[in-house]
């Protein structure tokens, strides 16, 4: 029994000695040429190693080599395709004892992989490009010629702290990866190639998982399936493709792509997006069919920023800028991220912003899209079901809108934004009909004072890098025609009717009260038609003709609106009647002036027009009667007192109505009781009543006033 134990121990000792001393007994340098030949045959390229070569059996049989290099393909710059600082090459032991080398494992430490594509589209990594021996040549002859093997068996391949670069001379693109740690498995060309690992790609951390069903098919330019899961930074992509290298790179199949930080991903892909609003995120899902410089996506589901669309699109990145085309439909087209932010004004119409607007993102891509949508948002404006033909060409965007739905109406339009130069320019024309005026003006002008159904036309051109600059430069023309509506906040017909009721004398306080009562949220001026044409020059809107027709009222007018300063100056001449159609009753005309600002518009009797159109003449007659015609001083010069101003102060309570504030109106109402008290009789009162009664068509003087006039000494 002891002898048996002794022999077992001795056998173990001999085996250990073999493991320890056998590597030293094998002349490693003798195998260098054979290793280079076997490796060259395995990859189809010349493989060289340095003289620093060692061999071990434990724990796995392997050669350790340094400065391993795989030669580059002919016609490409650079001496190598791959260079490895250190490599452990696993070999099978028993074939090695018979002077045969079978490689089943590569461990590559700090490899440098240089992939290149030339102007002709040829690549330097096609390992099947080596010349094969004649079919009838002896096998040893073929191997000695360095021909590509019938099969490639790499077994377990690992890359440690590697680097890789790709340069495409045809596309002018280059990419680089560092700190590559990957494992690859390729048991044979006919079996799947599996690759999994992590790296730093273009400065961002990345993870990749690839399964290629047959590398042999790729090398023979036959289709093969590729499954890809890729993460680069925050970008995630997945694909289940059919890959074909027969005529360049072709791929097809379902894909998903999610880039929550689009500018960061574009930088990874070699495209720098301009700093501008929008272009923040992109999500794509669909069936892809493409090549190395272009692709087509069908059954596409695309989310770009806040816009979700479906349809078909194509992308070509062979030129200086990517070019996208497609036919898409979207439930909502939200353009607010690309527009200047709205003012944070708490109330009223906001002031034009001086903040710089940046449209340089239009230079990032060229595009031609036909887009259908159920709604469009442009800041506070909302449009309904519409169709847009969008073209972007080198920073100039043109949006043809053959179908435009807005605020209940239908029409068409065209909008151009040109960001090619240092200062963006704009142009457009819109023609819509059957539009509900109230919601439109509420969204556009921040008030709901205009009601009605009508048509609008507007053509404009402008330039500027801010809202304020655009408003200062805008030129154009347009017009509107509204029907069956109203002007909220004032009853112009009521003002005129109140004046017409003064039959036995004029009472300034009564008129002031009538004007005040005719203004307010519950008041409105109804009309059957309201129309005007206008022109715009450097932000100044000139409306030479304004016409309004309604029950008990017709009105003409003219004026201007300063868009840059947001001020209004419109003079109206309403003519009121005591009958609804103006026939057979009494009519009277009172000039009205609309002023103020977009935020605080005002309306009142136009004192200047009232004086200019006959008041002074009428007062002159009255003054001549009551003052004996002495309307001049001894020097023949006019008196300093302006009777028109005196009378208008009585009408308007001491101030011009167009400048009156809501607080002033409240004060008027609070003081109305005091104003109704019978004033002391005076010659001035007589002059006021006489003049205004003459204007309003009633020249009969109240007896009390006549007696007062007679008793009052001439001033």
């Amino acid at each position: 029994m002891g002898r048996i134990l002794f022999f077992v121990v001795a056998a173990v000792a001999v085996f250990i000695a073999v493991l320890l001393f056998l590597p030293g007994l094998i002349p490693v340098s003798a195998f260098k040429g054979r290793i280079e030949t076997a490796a060259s045959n395995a990859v189809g390229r010349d493989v060289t190693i340095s003289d620093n070569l060692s061999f071990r059996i434990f724990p796995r049989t392997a050669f350790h080599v340094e400065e391993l290099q795989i030669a580059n393909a002919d016609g490409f710059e650079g001496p190598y395709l791959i260079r490895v600082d250190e490599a452990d090459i696993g070999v099978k032991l028993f074939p090695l004892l018979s002077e045969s080398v079978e490689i089943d494992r590569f461990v590559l430490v700090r490899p440098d992989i240089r992939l290149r594509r030339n102007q002709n589209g040829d690549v330097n990594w096609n390992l099947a490009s080596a010349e094969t021996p004649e079919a009838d040549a002896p096998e040893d002859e073929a191997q000695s010629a360095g021909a590509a093997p019938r099969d490639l068996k790499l077994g377990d391949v690992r890359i440690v702290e590697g680097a890789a670069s790709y340069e495409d001379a045809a596309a002018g693109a280059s990419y680089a990866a560092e700190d590559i740690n990957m494992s690859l498995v390729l048991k044979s060309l006919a079996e799947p190639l599996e690759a999994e690992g992590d790296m730093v790609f273009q400065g961002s951390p990345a993870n990749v998982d690839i399964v290629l069903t047959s590398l042999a098919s790729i090398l023979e330019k036959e289709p093969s399936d590729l499954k890809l899961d890729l993460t680069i930074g925050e970008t995630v992509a997945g694909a289940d493709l059919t890959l074909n290298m027969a005529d360049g790179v072709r791929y097809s199949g379902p894909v998903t792509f999610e880039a929550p930080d689009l500018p960061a991903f574009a930088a990874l892909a070699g495209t720098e997006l301009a700093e501008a609003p929008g272009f923040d995120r992109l999500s794509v899902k669909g069936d892809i069919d493409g090549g190395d410089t272009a692709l087509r996506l069908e059954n596409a589901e695309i989310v770009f920023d806040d816009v979700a669309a479906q349809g078909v699109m194509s992308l070509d990145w062979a030129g200086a800028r990517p070019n996208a085309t497609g036919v898409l439909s979207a439930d909502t087209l939200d353009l607010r991220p690309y527009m200047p932010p709205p003012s944070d004004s708490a109330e009223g119409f906001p002031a034009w912003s001086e903040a710089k607007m940046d449209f340089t993102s239009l230079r990032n891509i060229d595009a031609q899209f036909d887009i259908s949508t159920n709604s469009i948002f442009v800041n506070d404006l909302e449009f309904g079901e519409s169709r847009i033909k969008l073209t972007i060409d080198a920073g100039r965007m043109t949006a043809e809108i053959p179908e435009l739905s807005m605020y209940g109406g239908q029409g068409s339009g065209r909008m151009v934004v040109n960001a090619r130069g240092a200062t963006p320019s704009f142009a457009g024309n819109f023609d819509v009909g059957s539009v509900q005026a109230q919601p439109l003006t509420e969204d556009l002008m921040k008030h709901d004072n205009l009601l009605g159904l009508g048509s609008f036309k507007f053509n404009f051109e402008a330039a500027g890098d801010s809202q304020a600059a655009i408003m200062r430069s805008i030129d154009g023309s347009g017009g509107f025609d509204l029907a069956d509506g109203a002007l909220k906040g004032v009853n112009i017909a009521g003002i005129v009717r109140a004046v017409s009721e003064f039959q036995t004398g004029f009472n300034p306080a009564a008129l002031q009260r009538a004007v005040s009562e005719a203004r307010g949220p519950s008041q409105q001026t109804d009309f059957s038609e309201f129309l005007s044409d206008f022109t715009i020059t450097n932000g100044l809107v000139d409306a030479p003709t304004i016409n309004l027709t309604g029950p008990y009222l017709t009105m003409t007018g003219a004026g201007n609106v300063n868009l840059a300063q947001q001020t209004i100056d419109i003079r109206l001449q309403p003519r009121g009647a005591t009958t609804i159609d103006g026939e057979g009753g009494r009519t009277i005309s009172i000039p009205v002036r609309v002023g103020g600002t977009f935020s605080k518009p005002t309306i009142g009797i136009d004192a200047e027009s009232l004086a200019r159109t006959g008041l002074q003449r009428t007062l002159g007659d009255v003054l001549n009667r009551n003052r004996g015609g002495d309307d001049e001083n001894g020097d023949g010069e006019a008196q300093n007192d302006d009777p028109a101003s005196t009378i208008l102060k009585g009408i308007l309570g001491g101030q011009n109505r167009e400048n009156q504030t809501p607080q002033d109106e409240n004060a008027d109402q609070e003081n109305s009781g005091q104003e109704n008290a019978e004033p002391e009789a005076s010659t001035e009162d007589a002059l006021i009543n006489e003049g205004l009664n003459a204007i309003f068509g009633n020249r009969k003087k109240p007896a009390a006033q006549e007696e007062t006039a007679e008793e009052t000494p001439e001033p």
Side-chain angles (χ1 to χ4, degrees):
M1 184 67 180
R3 291 183 177 181
I4 295 175
L5 182 59
F6 173 77
F7 282 116
V8 170
V9 173
V12 172
V14 171
F15 182 73
I16 293 175
V18 170
L19 292 178
L20 294 175
F21 296 109
L22 183 59
L25 299 175
I26 298 176
V28 176
S29 59
F31 287 93
K32 175 187 173 184
R34 296 182 182 180
I35 293 174
E36 290 177 336
T37 300
S40 298
N41 290 337
V43 299
R45 298 278 178 86
D46 289 339
V47 178
T48 59
I49 57 178
S50 70
D51 293 335
N52 191 4
L53 179 66
S54 61
F55 173 75
R56 71 171 184 269
I57 296 177
F58 185 82
R60 298 182 64 176
T61 307
F63 284 97
H64 179 82
V65 301
E66 296 181 2
E67 299 181 9
L68 182 148
Q69 184 170 293
I70 300 176
N72 205 355
D74 293 338
F76 289 87
E77 294 183 1
Y80 58 85
L81 169 66
I82 300 175
R83 185 181 185 280
V84 182
D85 283 356
E86 299 180 31
D88 280 337
I89 304 174
V91 296
K92 294 183 179 179
L93 178 59
F94 291 106
L96 184 64
L97 297 176
S98 62
E99 298 185 351
S100 176
V101 178
E102 292 187 19
I103 300 173
D104 67 353
R105 186 179 83 259
F106 274 172
V107 178
L108 308 179
V109 180
R110 292 181 295 278
D112 181 14
I113 305 170
R114 299 183 177 182
L115 307 178
R116 301 293 184 265
R117 182 174 182 264
N118 62 21
Q119 292 282 0
N120 299 325
D122 298 329
V123 297
N124 70 337
W125 64 83
N126 190 349
L127 301 181
S129 62
E131 295 182 2
T132 56
E134 297 295 331
D136 56 352
E139 184 176 348
D140 56 349
E141 225 177 86
Q143 291 181 355
S144 64
R150 296 179 181 178
D151 199 4
L152 177 62
K153 296 181 180 180
L154 296 180
D156 177 22
V157 177
R158 283 183 290 130
I159 299 175
V160 180
E161 298 179 2
S165 62
Y166 171 73
E167 294 182 5
D168 189 336
S174 62
Y175 309 96
E178 300 173 337
D179 297 332
I180 302 173
N181 294 281
M182 297 191 67
S183 62
L184 297 87
V185 176
L186 181 63
K187 297 180 179 179
S188 73
L189 288 176
E191 295 189 49
L193 168 64
E194 301 177 12
E196 181 180 6
D198 57 73
M199 68 187 74
V200 176
F201 179 76
Q202 299 285 83
S204 294
N207 292 277
V208 62
D209 189 351
I210 300 174
V211 177
L212 180 65
T213 57
S214 176
L215 183 57
S217 298
I218 295 297
L219 297 177
E220 294 170 3
K221 298 187 177 181
E222 296 291 335
S224 180
D225 293 334
L226 173 69
K227 182 175 177 58
L228 170 67
D229 290 301
L230 177 65
T231 301
I232 306 176
E234 298 182 19
T235 301
V236 178
D240 194 352
L241 305 174
T242 297
L243 190 63
N244 194 332
M245 306 290 288
D247 185 16
V249 179
R250 299 296 306 176
Y251 44 86
S252 61
V255 297
T256 59
F257 175 83
E258 184 79 28
D261 187 346
L262 185 56
F265 172 76
L268 293 176
T271 300
E272 293 293 334
L273 298 184
E275 290 288 340
F279 288 81
D280 296 325
R281 58 187 180 274
L282 174 66
S283 173
V284 178
K285 180 189 294 185
D287 298 322
I288 199 171
D289 183 10
D292 52 358
T293 60
L295 61 84
R296 178 179 174 84
L297 190 67
E298 298 185 344
N299 302 317
E301 298 179 13
I302 303 170
V303 178
F304 178 71
D305 291 337
D306 293 328
V307 178
Q310 304 80 38
V312 178
M313 69 167 292
S314 299
L315 181 65
D316 188 326
W317 57 90
R321 292 177 303 277
N323 184 38
T325 60
V327 178
L328 301 173
S329 63
D331 181 61
T332 300
L333 189 59
D334 191 349
L335 302 180
R336 287 173 291 192
Y338 318 101
M339 306 299 295
S343 171
D344 57 0
S345 175
E347 61 181 17
F349 194 89
W352 303 123
S353 173
E354 294 283 358
K356 300 298 182 182
M357 299 188 303
D358 194 345
F359 294 92
T360 54
S361 57
L362 294 175
R363 305 174 192 172
N364 293 330
I365 190 171
D366 292 341
Q368 301 86 41
F369 280 100
D370 192 328
I371 304 172
S372 300
T373 180
N374 293 325
S375 60
I376 305 174
F377 291 95
V378 181
N379 279 348
D380 293 329
L381 294 178
E382 180 177 357
F383 300 85
E385 185 174 351
S386 304
R387 181 185 172 202
I388 303 175
K389 295 182 177 180
L390 183 69
T391 301
I392 302 176
D393 180 18
R396 184 178 188 270
M397 182 188 75
T398 302
E400 300 285 353
I401 312 174
E403 301 172 17
L404 177 63
S405 175
M406 58 181 295
Y407 300 94
Q410 299 289 330
S412 60
R414 183 175 187 266
M415 179 74 182
V416 177
V417 179
N418 191 343
R420 291 175 177 172
T423 301
S425 61
F426 311 86
N429 60 78
F430 295 90
D431 187 350
V432 293
S434 301
V435 173
Q436 294 285 350
Q438 186 177 31
L440 173 60
T441 55
E442 186 172 6
D443 288 348
L444 182 63
M445 302 294 293
K446 304 299 180 292
H447 67 72
D448 60 352
N449 294 340
L450 181 62
L451 287 72
L453 186 69
S455 61
F456 295 86
K457 294 182 179 180
F458 183 36
N459 307 301
F460 71 92
E461 293 181 352
D465 57 3
S466 69
Q467 286 182 336
I470 292 172
M471 289 301 149
R472 288 191 292 266
S473 68
I474 188 169
D475 296 329
S477 63
F480 63 86
D481 186 348
L482 295 176
D484 301 325
L487 300 173
K488 287 182 60 178
V490 62
N491 188 344
I492 299 176
I495 295 175
V496 178
R497 285 199 303 271
V499 172
S500 69
E501 293 173 357
F502 299 140
Q503 300 292 336
T504 61
F506 180 75
N507 189 328
L511 177 59
Q512 187 177 16
R513 185 170 60 254
V515 172
S516 179
E517 291 175 352
R519 296 189 300 181
S522 62
Q523 299 296 323
Q524 65 182 39
T525 300
D526 297 323
F527 60 79
S528 57
E529 185 178 46
F530 181 27
L531 57 90
S532 178
D533 293 323
F534 59 84
T535 59
I536 309 175
T537 304
N538 294 328
L540 184 64
V541 181
D542 180 28
T545 58
I546 301 174
N547 294 282
L548 182 146
T549 303
Y552 303 100
L553 179 71
T554 60
M555 184 172 67
T556 59
N560 59 71
V561 176
N562 192 318
L563 295 177
Q565 298 180 12
Q566 298 186 356
T567 58
I568 307 168
D569 186 10
I570 298 175
R571 299 172 186 270
L572 304 174
Q573 191 71 32
R575 181 176 294 275
T578 57
T579 59
I580 191 169
D581 58 359
E583 299 292 335
R586 187 182 179 201
T587 62
I588 189 167
S589 178
I590 292 293
V592 174
R593 188 170 186 176
V594 181
T597 65
F598 291 1
S599 182
K600 294 182 178 180
T602 62
I603 185 168
I605 293 177
D606 186 354
E608 183 179 339
S609 294
L610 188 64
R612 187 173 58 244
T613 56
L615 180 58
Q616 288 180 324
R617 183 178 62 252
T618 303
L619 291 176
D621 295 339
V622 176
L623 288 170
N624 286 333
R625 269 198 313 273
N626 289 275
R627 300 182 181 182
D630 185 12
D631 58 350
E632 295 182 355
N633 58 22
D635 296 330
E637 295 180 357
Q639 298 276 358
N640 292 330
D641 292 337
D642 184 354
S645 299
T646 304
I647 293 175
L648 291 174
K649 288 180 181 179
I651 298 174
L652 302 177
Q655 62 178 336
N656 289 338
R657 182 61 67 179
E658 64 270 19
N659 296 322
Q660 189 175 21
T661 64
Q663 291 80 1
D664 297 327
E665 294 179 8
N666 294 334
D668 292 342
Q669 295 178 3
E670 293 173 0
N671 297 328
S672 61
Q674 299 174 3
E675 292 169 346
N676 287 333
E678 188 69 24
E680 293 185 5
S682 67
T683 303
E684 190 173 76
D685 291 335
L687 297 178
I688 294 174
N689 291 327
E690 185 76 27
L692 290 174
N693 284 329
I695 293 174
F696 300 136
N698 181 16
R699 297 184 178 274
K700 182 180 179 180
K701 304 176 187 176
Q705 292 183 2
E706 291 179 356
E707 294 174 359
T708 303
E710 292 175 358
E711 295 174 356
T712 303
E714 184 173 334

